[in-house]
Amino acid sequence: MTIDLRSDTVTKPTEGMLQAIMNAQTGDDVYKEDPTVNELERRVADFLGMDEALFFPTGSMANQAAIKLHTQPGEQLICDKWAHVYNYEGGGVSFNSGVSCKLVDGDRGMITAQQVRESINPPDFYHSPLTSLVCLENTTNKGGGACYDLAEIEKIKEVCDTHKLGFHLDGARLMNALVATGEDPKRYGKMFDTVTLCFSKGLGTPLGTVLAGTSELMKNAIRVRKILGGGMRQVGFMAAAGLFALDNNVDRLAEDHKKALNIADVLSHAPYVSKVERTETNIVIFYLAEGVNEEKFMTDLENQQIRISNMGQGKLRVVTHLDYTNTMHDKFLSVLKNYA
Ligand SMILES: *Cc1c(COP(=O)(O)O)cnc(C)c1O
C-alpha cells in the first residue's frame, strides 16, 4: 500500500466515475457538438452565477487563456509572490500574453486591497507598464490551502472597479474553499470577471478545468483556447467525469479537510517539526526542526511507502484527497507519531 500525499492530483477515477465516463454521450467539441461538455460548461456557469464557461484540459491553460483575455502585450498583472500563474505555469504569462507580474508580498499567498491599490502603476505615467489585471488564488496552493476572507475580496473588487482592472480568480481549489467556509459560489461569480475551477484536484477526475466568465470576455475564449492548442474533440468522456464529481465528490472534501487537520495536529506536537502552517483545507505545510535532515526525513517516509512533497526552503507539503483512505490515514498518523 503506497500512501501518496504529494498532491490531490494523484487520484484515479472511482468505479462510479469510470461508469460515467464509459456511458458518456460525446460529439466533436471543436464544433461545440459534445452534449456532455456543453452540459458541464452550463453547470459550472450556473453554479457560479456567471454568463458562460469553457472546458479546458488543464488549469494552467485556463489561467493562461484568462490572462490573455484580460490583457495586451506590455501590460502588467498584480498577484501574490507565490501565485501559481507566476511560479508554476512555465512563465506562460510572458510567453503567451507578453505580460509582466507585479508581485505582492502577501500572507500565505493572499493579498489585501491596500496592497493591490499600492501596486497599481499610474496609468498616465507611460514609463511603467499599464496595470490591467489582478489575479487571486483561492484556496492558495503554495500558501497551504488558505482561504480568502470574502470581505477582503470585495474590497479588492472595489479597487479593480475604481481603476478599471480585470479581476481573475485562479480557483483550482475553489471547491475546497466553498466547502470549508460554506460560502455561496455565486458571490464569487458576481465579483470576478473570470474564474477557473479544476476537476483534477480534490474532485478526482483524470483531467479538466472549466473557465467561467462574463459573456463579453468569454466571446474570445474559444479562439484563445484554440491558439493555445486546447481545442479537443470527443472530450465529453472527461466532462462526464466532471459532472459525476459535481454530483458525488463535493461534500466529501470536508473529509479531506478533517484528515489534514488531524495530520497538522500530530505534526504540531512532533519534536522534529519546527512549525506547521495554519491548516484550513486539504493542504498541510510544515517545516522540520533545525538539525533534522530533510532528505533523510523524506527517504525514511519513502521506506514506509509514504510520499510527500518537498517545496524547497525547508517547506514540506502533505495533501489529502479522495484516494487517501482511513486505513492509510491511521498508518500515516502512527508513522508520524513514532518517527524519531
Ligand atoms: C493545480 C493548480 C493549477 C492548475 O494546474 P494544472 O496542473 O495545469 O492543472 C492552477 N492553479 C493552482 C493554484 C493550482 O493549484
Side-chain angles (χ1 to χ4, degrees):
M1 170 174 80
T2 298
I3 303 177
D4 195 342
L5 294 165
R6 288 172 301 163
S7 174
D8 47 8
T9 55
V10 300
T11 55
K12 308 256 174 70
T14 56
E15 198 50 49
M17 188 178 280
L18 281 174
Q19 284 302 326
I21 292 170
M22 285 198 292
N23 296 329
Q25 287 195 33
T26 62
D28 191 335
D29 183 50
V30 171
Y31 293 109
K32 289 311 291 169
E33 283 173 5
D34 189 307
T36 312
V37 174
N38 293 341
E39 186 185 339
L40 181 67
E41 291 171 346
R42 195 64 257 154
R43 273 262 318 254
V44 173
D46 291 345
F47 176 74
L48 293 164
M50 300 185 93
D51 300 335
E52 280 173 45
L54 192 66
F55 192 54
F56 283 77
T58 69
S60 296
M61 195 193 279
N63 278 334
Q64 291 300 314
I67 289 164
K68 182 67 201 155
L69 292 171
H70 281 283
T71 61
Q72 293 300 319
E75 294 179 354
Q76 191 164 71
L77 66 81
I78 297 171
C79 65
D80 184 86
K81 63 185 184 298
W82 285 350
H84 195 280
V85 295
Y86 175 72
N87 289 285
Y88 301 122
E89 297 183 7
V93 169
S94 53
F95 190 91
N96 297 313
S97 296
V99 165
S100 59
C101 297
K102 173 88 119 219
L103 300 181
V104 177
D105 187 16
D107 172 37
R108 294 185 302 146
M110 299 179 292
I111 60 181
T112 65
Q114 180 61 24
Q115 287 176 313
V116 170
R117 205 176 291 116
E118 287 164 0
S119 304
I120 301 169
N121 295 326
D124 52 357
F125 187 69
Y126 58 80
H127 307 281
S128 55
L130 184 69
T131 308
S132 52
L133 173 65
V134 176
C135 293
L136 303 188
E137 202 170 297
N138 200 27
T139 67
T140 63
N141 177 342
K142 213 175 172 188
C147 300
Y148 259 96
D149 174 6
L150 213 55
E152 195 63 40
I153 301 183
E154 260 153 16
K155 285 191 212 155
I156 298 175
K157 165 69 176 160
E158 279 173 32
V159 176
C160 290
D161 284 347
T162 307
H163 297 269
K164 300 199 168 43
L165 308 179
F167 200 22
H168 172 67
L169 177 66
D170 177 352
R173 293 189 182 83
L174 177 60
M175 215 52 111
N176 292 83
L178 293 173
V179 167
T181 61
E183 291 158 351
D184 177 0
K186 294 192 171 55
R187 291 187 66 186
Y188 283 87
K190 215 169 168 168
M191 287 188 288
F192 289 94
D193 303 314
T194 47
V195 176
T196 54
L197 187 69
C198 284
F199 285 88
S200 56
K201 303 263 163 96
L203 294 178
T205 78
L207 64 81
T209 291
V210 172
L211 172 69
T214 61
S215 47
E216 194 192 326
L217 281 163
M218 292 302 287
K219 66 178 191 284
N220 287 323
I222 200 161
R223 179 185 295 276
V224 171
R225 187 184 69 178
K226 182 76 190 188
I227 292 167
L228 296 174
M232 300 177 289
R233 304 292 178 177
Q234 285 73 26
V235 76
F237 292 113
M238 292 299 104
L243 287 167
F244 179 90
L246 286 179
D247 291 333
N248 298 280
N249 293 349
V250 175
D251 294 339
R252 64 151 307 286
L253 290 172
E255 200 181 303
D256 298 344
H257 299 173
K258 192 164 146 267
K259 286 188 176 120
L261 212 52
N262 296 151
I263 295 164
D265 185 49
V266 168
L267 286 170
S268 65
H269 292 101
Y272 53 87
V273 170
S274 68
K275 184 183 175 203
V276 184
E277 294 286 1
R278 206 172 117 205
T279 301
E280 298 178 62
T281 54
N282 68 327
I283 303 178
V284 185
I285 286 182
F286 64 102
Y287 303 83
L288 294 175
E290 216 166 303
V292 184
N293 184 292
E294 227 167 81
E295 303 292 316
K296 179 165 186 318
F297 181 74
M298 301 279 290
T299 313
D300 289 342
L301 290 184
E302 291 256 0
N303 289 339
Q304 310 232 40
Q305 280 84 51
I306 296 167
R307 308 186 73 182
I308 69 171
S309 289
N310 186 345
M311 301 192 87
Q313 293 146 356
K315 205 170 180 168
L316 300 181
R317 187 184 82 168
V318 165
V319 188
T320 57
H321 53 73
L322 191 58
D323 288 1
Y324 176 59
T325 62
N326 290 336
T327 312
M328 293 177 186
H329 190 48
D330 291 342
K331 178 178 169 191
F332 184 49
L333 291 181
S334 130
V335 167
L336 291 178
K337 280 179 192 158
N338 297 314
Y339 185 79

